[in-house]
Amino acid sequence: MYNVLLSIAASLLMFGVNLVWLQPIAAAIPAIFVFGITLFVLTRRISKILEAEMEAIVPMLQARQVDQARAHLDAVRQKYGRWQILLDGQVAAQMGMIDYLQMKWDDALPRLQKGRWRNWAAILCIGLIHYRKGDKEKAYEEFANAASSSSTEPMIYLVWVTLLARDGKRKEALDALARAKSDMPDNEHIKNLYALVANKKKINTKQFPQTWYQFFPEDMLKQQMVKGRQQQMAQQPQPRFGSRSAPRR
């Protein structure tokens, strides 16, 4: 909000100065120009600061310091909330993503909804929550909304098409992929997925980018459990075979 107010103030100042020498209509033109430039510069500056602040929570989440990440986001909102329009929704979406990664779907949904504006990741997660709750039509609608929000993000289509294929909606999957190919004709993941669906072959999500697990944390949990069991098996002593272990005659 402060960005807008400062831009208006700069614009009014320019208008007042020019009004001494020019007619009102002529004085308004540079004032409008000053408003746009000032708002752009201030918004860009705050956005860069916010981007750095948001990146700071990544190592916290990787270290599973969830409470610290939430506290950091809350501090960002209190410090910059009055400067940037829609910041509250952005922070809410980030908190919703933390809930989502913890598979707290009911807690994540309202926060993601609050920050969904032009946020393809939040919209995609919203659709996936509806999918898990059994409302697949609503889920597919949200996937389409996510694609409209960011038409060149391949992960949207990887998730969307994979779920369509699992539900036996091959035609709809091919239609979505045709849309993806028109926006991203050179993307290898889209090309490979199109070939799999067109030839009715099984989709192996392990071939997808690691960001897949950002939207399917339960898959990551399963992988970690499997790795844990494999490590336990490897650490167990193995039985020895040979002359010493052979039964006596």
Side-chain angles (χ1 to χ4, degrees), residues 223-236:
Q223 278 200 356
Q224 291 175 346
M225 292 175 64
V226 170
K227 288 182 179 179
R229 288 196 295 267
Q230 290 175 344
Q231 290 176 354
Q232 289 179 356
M233 292 292 293
Q235 292 173 358
Q236 289 180 358

Side-chain angles (χ1 to χ4, degrees), residues 161 165 170 174 177 189-205 207-208:
V161 171
R170 183 168 170 270
L174 290 173
L177 283 168
H189 290 295
I190 298 299
K191 289 180 181 179
N192 294 336
L193 187 57
Y194 190 92
L196 290 173
V197 176
N199 293 292
K200 300 182 180 180
K201 293 185 178 180
K202 184 178 180 180
I203 299 173
N204 182 8
T205 58
Q207 304 299 321
F208 292 165

Side-chain angles (χ1 to χ4, degrees), residues 66 70 92-109 111-112 121-132 143 159 163 211-218:
V66 177
R70 289 183 183 278
Q94 289 292 331
M95 289 185 173
M97 290 298 297
I98 293 175
D99 291 329
Y100 185 91
L101 289 171
Q102 293 180 297
M103 295 182 282
K104 298 178 179 178
W105 319 126
D106 291 334
D107 293 336
L109 186 57
R111 289 171 174 166
L112 292 169
I123 299 172
L124 189 59
C125 288
I126 291 169
L128 285 166
I129 291 174
H130 288 304
Y131 189 91
R132 291 182 177 95
F143 297 157
V159 171
L163 295 183
T211 47
W212 171 268
Y213 298 108
Q214 177 181 341
F215 302 101
F216 293 90
E218 60 269 43

Side-chain angles (χ1 to χ4, degrees), residues 7-238:
S7 300
I8 292 174
S11 177
L12 291 175
L13 179 62
M14 177 62 70
F15 178 76
V17 171
N18 290 332
L19 195 59
V20 176
W21 312 102
L22 303 173
Q23 294 295 323
I25 296 178
I29 295 175
I32 294 172
F33 180 76
V34 167
F35 173 82
I37 293 295
T38 305
L39 183 61
F40 174 80
V41 171
L42 291 174
T43 301
R44 186 177 178 85
R45 176 178 176 274
I46 297 299
S47 295
K48 287 186 175 181
I49 295 173
L50 292 174
E51 184 178 350
E53 294 285 0
M54 294 300 183
E55 288 179 355
I57 71 170
V58 175
M60 298 180 192
L61 294 175
Q62 291 175 340
R64 299 183 180 180
Q65 297 173 342
V66 177
D67 291 339
Q68 290 89 328
R70 289 183 183 278
H72 182 79
L73 286 171
D74 190 56
V76 169
R77 179 170 55 185
Q78 291 182 12
K79 188 174 182 179
Y80 299 104
R82 295 183 179 180
W83 279 91
Q84 191 85 337
I85 296 175
L86 302 176
L87 175 63
D88 189 64
Q90 294 175 9
V91 174
Q94 289 292 331
M95 289 185 173
M97 290 298 297
I98 293 175
D99 291 329
Y100 185 91
L101 289 171
Q102 293 180 297
M103 295 182 282
K104 298 178 179 178
W105 319 126
D106 291 334
D107 293 336
L109 186 57
R111 289 171 174 166
L112 292 169
Q113 290 281 17
K114 190 175 181 180
R116 63 175 291 151
W117 189 76
R118 297 183 64 85
N119 187 337
W120 69 267
I123 299 172
L124 189 59
C125 288
I126 291 169
L128 285 166
I129 291 174
H130 288 304
Y131 189 91
R132 291 182 177 95
K133 291 177 175 291
D135 191 350
K136 295 185 178 182
E137 292 304 317
K138 180 64 175 177
Y140 292 136
E141 179 183 334
E142 293 292 1
F143 297 157
N145 291 335
S148 298
S149 176
S150 180
S151 60
T152 56
E153 177 50 59
M155 185 53 63
I156 298 172
Y157 292 98
L158 296 183
V159 171
W160 187 6
V161 171
T162 297
L163 295 183
L164 283 170
R166 288 177 180 176
D167 289 339
K169 297 180 178 291
R170 183 168 170 270
K171 181 182 180 303
E172 291 86 342
L174 290 173
D175 290 342
L177 283 168
R179 175 178 174 179
K181 287 181 69 177
S182 66
D183 293 327
M184 297 171 284
D186 299 323
N187 188 275
E188 292 299 323
H189 290 295
I190 298 299
K191 289 180 181 179
N192 294 336
L193 187 57
Y194 190 92
L196 290 173
V197 176
N199 293 292
K200 300 182 180 180
K201 293 185 178 180
K202 184 178 180 180
I203 299 173
N204 182 8
T205 58
K206 293 181 180 179
Q207 304 299 321
F208 292 165
Q210 286 295 308
T211 47
W212 171 268
Y213 298 108
Q214 177 181 341
F215 302 101
F216 293 90
E218 60 269 43
D219 288 0
M220 175 61 76
L221 181 60
K222 290 177 183 177
Q223 278 200 356
Q224 291 175 346
M225 292 175 64
V226 170
K227 288 182 179 179
R229 288 196 295 267
Q230 290 175 344
Q231 290 176 354
Q232 289 179 356
M233 292 292 293
Q235 292 173 358
Q236 289 180 358
Q238 300 296 320

